[in-house]
Amino acid sequence: MLEMPRVDLEKCTGCGTCAAACHCGAIVIVEGKATIIETLKCGWCSVCEAVCPEGALYCEFEIVIEG
Amino acid sequence: MAASIEFLQASPYFAGMTEPEIEVISGLFFQKTIEKGEKITWQGDPGEALYFVASGAVKCFKTSPEGKEQILQIVLPGNSFNDVAVFDGGLSPTSTEAMSLVNLYVISRSDMGGILTDHPKIMINVIDILSSKIRHLLELVEDLSFRQVIGRIARILLEYADGAGPKPKLTQHEMAALAGTAREVVGRSLKTLQGDGMIRMERNRLVIADKEALSQMVNAHS
């Protein structure tokens, strides 16, 4: 299954800043919480994490050495 | 539940203790499971317990009055945190938070004191561990004082790609908190490193494509 950015539902206030900033149109607010509905569109650009005023979105990177 | 004998035998804190001695002290520990993102200790709280990471990763950090976070250390399995407050009896100098599902072995300050009184031979282990933590903090001071941001980020990437044991995944926010800079600066630095062909961003994987060049970047920016 394609991994998605993590949303901390306790921190998320549903303000919609992430949905407005998402270049891919992957995030919408569902029942007052940020939800990634267009999973194939998410390009992991981390803009949602950058703009979230509550620090409720996390785009984590696995760091590996090639080869 | 008591700590596992194997875990305590492998811990540098208890090196040199016999198996029967370890079996006795294992009953002084209790196990705690912490969910990802949950706080474990708070800066300014009394140092009432010493924590050993059995699995997962824990970040130790300070927060400025403006809310800026500086990660001082990421504690991986086998290592401990809250040592300073436990041994000097003061307040915890950092807060801690689970970066993944974390299993901890916890011992109270008074029980740890009792072990040191009963087994003074392990005092030398404590000196070794605290010295190693001071050395780590001195490296961080050197990094923050003398190395430019892109060099710091290059060093963090190399450190976290090191194959020795499982390492936690990092967000750009956490990279910034480790490097003592703003998240936006991390984003720009990663783009620069990618443009120079040293790294490649593959969705949620950050691949070091040219380890040699990235290492030179660390040394060049100091």
Side-chain angles (χ1 to χ4, degrees):
Chain A
M1 199 171 74
L2 199 60
E3 196 174 338
M4 286 296 125
R6 185 165 61 87
V7 183
D8 185 330
L9 296 176
E10 283 188 20
K11 285 186 183 173
C12 177
T13 60
C15 68
T17 308
C18 55
C22 177
H23 306 307
C24 318
I27 307 178
V28 294
I29 305 300
V30 177
E31 294 179 357
K33 301 290 176 187
T35 309
I36 299 158
I37 53 160
E38 296 280 0
T39 53
L40 291 175
K41 285 186 180 174
C42 172
W44 214 268
C45 65
S46 300
V47 163
C48 54
E49 179 189 287
V51 299
C52 177
E54 305 300 327
L57 279 140
Y58 303 85
C59 299
E60 294 170 323
F61 290 90
E62 182 188 7
I63 304 169
V64 296
I65 296 178
E66 191 161 56
Chain B
M1 190 195 288
S4 89
I5 306 290
E6 293 74 24
F7 179 86
L8 295 181
Q9 279 177 325
S11 166
Y13 258 101
F14 307 108
M17 288 182 77
T18 63
E19 191 164 338
E21 286 171 338
I22 296 260
E23 275 178 23
V24 171
I25 67 159
S26 71
L28 300 173
F29 288 79
F30 62 93
Q31 202 174 354
K32 206 169 179 183
T33 300
I34 310 286
E35 297 293 329
K36 181 173 185 167
E38 203 178 318
K39 284 264 185 70
I40 304 164
T41 61
W42 279 262
Q43 183 177 327
D45 277 0
E48 287 166 351
L50 181 61
Y51 298 81
F52 292 83
V53 178
S55 64
V58 172
K59 66 175 176 182
C60 298
F61 61 98
K62 290 185 87 75
T63 309
S64 75
E66 296 77 33
K68 188 184 168 200
E69 189 179 286
Q70 171 69 53
I71 298 178
L72 300 174
Q73 189 191 8
I74 291 180
V75 188
L76 298 171
N79 294 314
S80 55
F81 60 91
N82 218 29
D83 316 62
V84 172
V86 162
F87 291 123
D88 75 2
L91 303 176
S92 294
T94 61
S95 299
T96 54
E97 183 181 307
M99 298 179 76
S100 60
L101 181 69
V102 169
N103 282 302
L104 299 169
Y105 289 129
V106 189
I107 184 166
S108 72
R109 177 169 186 261
S110 59
D111 282 342
M112 191 64 202
I115 293 175
L116 292 175
T117 306
D118 294 343
H119 306 279
K121 61 187 173 187
I122 68 163
M123 296 276 193
I124 192 75
N125 299 342
V126 177
I127 293 170
D128 280 350
I129 290 160
L130 293 179
S131 300
S132 149
K133 286 179 188 273
I134 291 171
R135 186 173 291 281
H136 170 82
L137 289 173
L138 289 174
E139 284 168 3
L140 182 62
V141 170
E142 181 186 21
D143 215 32
L144 294 175
S145 305
F146 303 131
R147 194 165 275 132
Q148 291 178 17
V149 172
I150 197 162
R152 287 183 230 158
I153 291 166
R155 188 188 60 72
I156 290 162
L157 296 181
L158 286 166
E159 188 181 334
Y160 280 86
D162 179 6
K167 294 283 172 72
K169 294 177 180 178
L170 295 179
T171 63
Q172 290 189 33
H173 173 80
E174 285 164 339
M175 290 179 210
L178 278 164
T181 189
R183 193 195 169 287
E184 296 72 26
V185 180
V186 170
R188 283 202 297 275
S189 300
L190 292 177
K191 276 188 185 141
T192 301
L193 294 174
Q194 180 159 245
D196 291 343
M198 294 181 203
I199 64 165
R200 207 169 53 246
M201 312 282 278
E202 292 178 352
R203 196 173 152 74
N204 55 346
R205 266 166 46 106
L206 200 157
V207 181
I208 296 176
D210 190 341
K211 187 181 173 188
E212 190 69 27
L214 200 62
S215 303
Q216 283 173 8
M217 174 67 81
V218 175
N219 297 322
H221 287 80
S222 58

